[in-house]
């Protein structure tokens, strides 16, 4: 797939993942994300900039000079973020990103799932920071991974076996 940039093709890597990443998993997740982002190709990162995996992925991509497209659910997204630190990180990251605003959905959960599907639909591959468990609500990581697998988008799961999120 990829997006053509003159004679080069840009590979788009999307992310989905948990908002809470246990300390036992965090080092391997960071290493795995860096490995996914260090390729001999032109890359673009796609993230919703939610707490946890999304913000970590965007931060690491920007640190590596990879452009990030922020996929913003069509609602008052910032107000639904967990806490002041998460909102501050969101605003900081958003200032460095290209932005895609999605249409308004009826509920936050539907908006999150719409953002996850948009990322999958526009990605060449998906990184999932995921413990393998079902989603806890519509649009959770498990739902986005299932959608990617149904649509044929390759998924790389980053997690340490046996560790569950809180």
């Amino acid at each position: 797939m990829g997006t053509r940039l003159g004679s080069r093709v840009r590979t788009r890597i999307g992310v989905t993942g948990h908002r809470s990443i246990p300390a036992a998993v965090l080092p391997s997740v960071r290493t795995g994300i860096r490995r996914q982002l260090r390729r001999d190709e032109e890359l673009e990162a796609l993230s919703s900039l939610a707490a946890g995996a999304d913000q970590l992925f965007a931060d690491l991509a920007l640190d590596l000079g990879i452009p990030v497209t922020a996929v913003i659910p069509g609602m008052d997204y910032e107000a639904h973020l967990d806490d002041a630190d998460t909102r501050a990180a969101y605003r900081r990251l958003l200032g460095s990103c290209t932005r895609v605003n999605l249409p308004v959905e009826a509920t936050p959960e539907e908006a999150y799932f719409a953002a996850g599907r948009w990322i999958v639909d526009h990605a060449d591959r998906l990184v999932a920071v995921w413990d393998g468990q079902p989603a806890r609500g519509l649009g959770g990581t498990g739902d986005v991974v299932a959608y990617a697998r149904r649509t044929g988008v390759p998924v790389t799961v980053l997690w340490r076996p046996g560790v569950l999120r809180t």
Side-chain angles (χ1 to χ4, degrees):
M1 187 154 102
T3 303
R4 185 153 295 283
L5 299 168
S7 62
R8 297 178 311 198
V9 174
R10 175 177 284 174
T11 299
R12 292 173 137 188
I13 304 175
V15 68
T16 187
H18 300 312
R19 288 182 289 178
S20 177
I21 304 171
V25 176
L26 191 55
S28 63
V29 166
R30 282 183 195 278
T31 300
I33 290 172
R34 283 189 188 106
R35 189 175 297 122
Q36 290 298 308
L37 294 173
R38 290 191 184 195
R39 304 284 179 135
D40 292 329
E41 58 194 328
E42 187 79 22
L43 298 177
E44 177 183 357
L46 307 175
S47 172
S48 289
L49 304 183
D54 288 11
Q55 288 187 0
L56 176 62
F57 183 81
D59 257 330
L60 292 172
L62 290 167
D63 285 349
L64 293 168
I66 297 168
V68 177
T69 296
V71 181
I72 308 305
M75 53 182 220
D76 188 12
Y77 186 52
E78 185 176 341
H80 289 88
L81 295 174
D82 298 331
D83 55 39
D85 289 341
T86 301
R87 287 187 293 277
Y90 168 79
R91 286 190 298 273
R92 177 183 54 78
L93 289 166
L94 190 59
S96 299
C97 296
T98 303
R99 178 185 329 198
V100 173
N101 292 310
L102 298 178
V104 174
E105 296 289 340
T107 68
E109 292 78 18
E110 290 167 334
Y112 300 152
F113 196 29
R117 288 191 316 268
W118 193 98
I119 288 172
V120 168
D121 291 343
H122 293 85
D124 299 296
R125 63 182 188 263
L126 184 71
V127 172
V129 179
W130 181 46
D131 64 2
Q133 298 299 306
R136 293 183 177 166
L138 179 65
T141 305
D143 290 342
V144 177
V145 169
Y147 178 75
R149 288 178 172 162
R150 277 194 313 273
T151 59
V153 173
V155 178
T156 299
V157 176
L158 302 177
W159 202 262
R160 204 167 115 209
V163 177
L164 297 178
R165 66 193 144 130
T166 55

